[in-house]
């Protein structure tokens, strides 16, 4: 994974050899990083590409000193995908602004229940709350973030951790009624009498059809990543995709 500010060494090299202004682009995610580039003399100007896809209001928020409110780009390259409709993993409204307009405030205020506190549930809850609805969000774990909770334990997932932290920060600043440690039941939802229920309980990791997967020494990759210090000296990883390779690298290190 390339670090942030990946092109600044090149821009500095060019700037030292020319007399015209030099700009730089590439993995400059935050206003603080942009200021760092300018103050260090690596470039005269900073250009933004994918960061503006993730959050079109990046410049406005930066100007207002609201760096923490900028939705971070995770550098997944979904926005450059030419085979499928171009989209953004963190900005669900990209290219759909006219298809799904969101008038503010909503024409009719509703009570909304969201089940699940991962990224999908938080995005749904925040969108509904910002439109003026009363939102209650249930999460069975003692924390928000869903599957991205593992990023707290893996240094190589900095960008995903920034996304998780951004959503949690937005939730804490919102009017959403967050109820952690609550595995909600249909009866509880019914008793609340909501106008709408959003199900955002996440996905389950894939597993091969092998006997013995329920053995005590067999665990999922994400569980291993969150407990690297207690992994045994010798491990076998089934699966050589991105997750398997990343886990192997973490264990070797």
């Amino acid at each position: 994974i390339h670090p942030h500010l990946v092109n600044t060494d090149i821009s500095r090299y060019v700037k030292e050899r020319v007399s015209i202004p030099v700009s730089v682009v590439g993995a400059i995610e935050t206003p603080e990083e942009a200021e760092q580039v300018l103050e260090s003399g690596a470039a005269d100007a900073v250009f933004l590409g994918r960061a503006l896809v993730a959050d079109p209001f990046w410049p406005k928020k930066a100007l207002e000193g609201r760096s923490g409110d900028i939705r971070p780009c995770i550098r997944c390259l979904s926005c450059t995908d030419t085979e499928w409709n171009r989209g953004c993993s963190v900005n669900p409204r990209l290219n759909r602004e006219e298809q799904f307009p969101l008038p503010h405030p909503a024409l009719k205020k509703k009570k909304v229940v969201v089940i699940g506190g991962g990224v999908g549930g938080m995005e749904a809850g925040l969108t509904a709350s910002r439109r003026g609805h009363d939102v209650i969000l249930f999460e069975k774990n003692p924390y928000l973030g869903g599957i991205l909770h593992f990023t707290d334990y893996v240094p190589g997932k900095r960008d995903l951790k920034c996304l998780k932290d951004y959503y949690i920060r937005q939730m804490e600043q919102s009017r959403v009624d967050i109820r952690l440690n609550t595995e909600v039941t249909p009866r509880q939802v019914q008793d609340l009498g909501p106008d709408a229920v959003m199900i955002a309980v996440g996905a389950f990791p894939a597993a091969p059809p092998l006997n013995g997967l329920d053995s005590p020494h067999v665990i999922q990759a994400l569980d291993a990543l969150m407990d690297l210090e207690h992994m045994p000296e010798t491990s076998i990883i089934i699966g050589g995709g991105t997750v398997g390779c990343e886990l192997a690298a973490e264990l070797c290190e």
Side-chain angles (χ1 to χ4, degrees):
I1 299 175
H2 289 296
H4 287 204
L5 314 182
V6 64
N7 293 322
T8 52
D9 288 343
I10 300 173
S11 67
R12 187 187 304 276
Y13 179 89
V14 173
K15 182 172 168 56
E16 291 172 351
R17 288 162 175 78
V18 301
S19 58
I20 59 175
V22 174
S23 65
V24 66
V25 67
I28 301 170
E29 301 293 332
T30 68
E32 290 77 15
E33 289 180 342
E35 288 288 355
Q36 177 184 334
V37 171
L38 300 177
E39 291 177 359
S40 69
D44 300 295
V46 168
F47 277 33
L48 301 175
R50 292 171 294 176
L52 293 179
V53 175
D55 193 335
F57 299 100
W58 194 108
K60 184 175 187 294
K61 293 176 181 177
L63 186 64
E64 296 172 350
R66 296 165 51 211
S67 178
D69 292 333
I70 294 175
R71 182 192 285 111
C73 168
I74 61 173
R75 301 191 286 168
C76 66
L77 293 178
S78 290
C79 56
T80 64
D81 193 332
T82 56
E83 183 176 355
W84 305 100
N85 291 328
R86 294 187 180 185
C88 176
S89 295
V90 302
N91 180 5
R93 298 196 66 230
L94 178 70
N95 294 330
R96 300 181 179 90
E97 295 87 350
E98 295 183 359
Q99 184 180 359
F100 299 108
L102 294 176
H104 292 269
L107 300 178
K108 180 181 178 182
K109 185 175 182 178
K110 298 180 180 181
K111 177 186 284 188
V112 178
V113 167
V114 179
I115 303 175
V119 169
M122 289 190 286
E123 174 69 29
L126 287 169
T127 301
S129 178
R130 288 167 178 166
R131 298 192 62 217
H133 298 303
D134 292 327
V135 180
I136 303 172
L137 183 142
F138 291 99
E139 168 55 50
K140 68 178 181 180
N141 291 306
Y143 52 79
L144 293 171
I147 199 171
L148 293 190
H149 182 64
F150 88 96
T151 59
D152 286 345
Y153 303 88
V154 183
K157 294 299 182 181
R158 170 186 172 186
D159 289 338
L160 281 176
K161 176 173 167 52
C162 287
L163 179 68
K164 174 185 69 70
D165 292 344
Y166 158 80
Y167 271 109
I168 293 175
R169 189 164 53 247
Q170 297 302 303
M171 288 291 290
E172 292 172 344
Q173 298 171 1
S174 73
R175 299 184 303 107
V176 176
D177 180 355
I178 305 169
R179 302 185 185 183
L180 301 177
N181 294 300
T182 306
E183 189 164 357
V184 69
T185 65
R187 180 59 184 270
Q188 286 176 287
V189 175
Q190 190 176 27
D191 290 344
L192 288 170
D195 299 294
V197 179
M198 300 186 188
I199 310 296
V201 294
F204 296 96
L210 299 176
N211 293 328
L213 288 185
D214 55 350
S215 302
H217 62 286
V218 179
I219 62 175
Q220 283 286 347
L222 290 182
D223 296 327
L225 286 168
M226 290 192 286
D227 195 24
L228 289 170
E229 294 183 1
H230 298 98
M231 289 292 291
E233 287 294 320
T234 303
S235 301
I236 293 175
I237 298 174
I238 302 176
T242 303
V243 175
C245 291
E246 289 180 342
L247 175 57
E250 291 290 343
L251 289 175
C252 288
E253 290 178 4

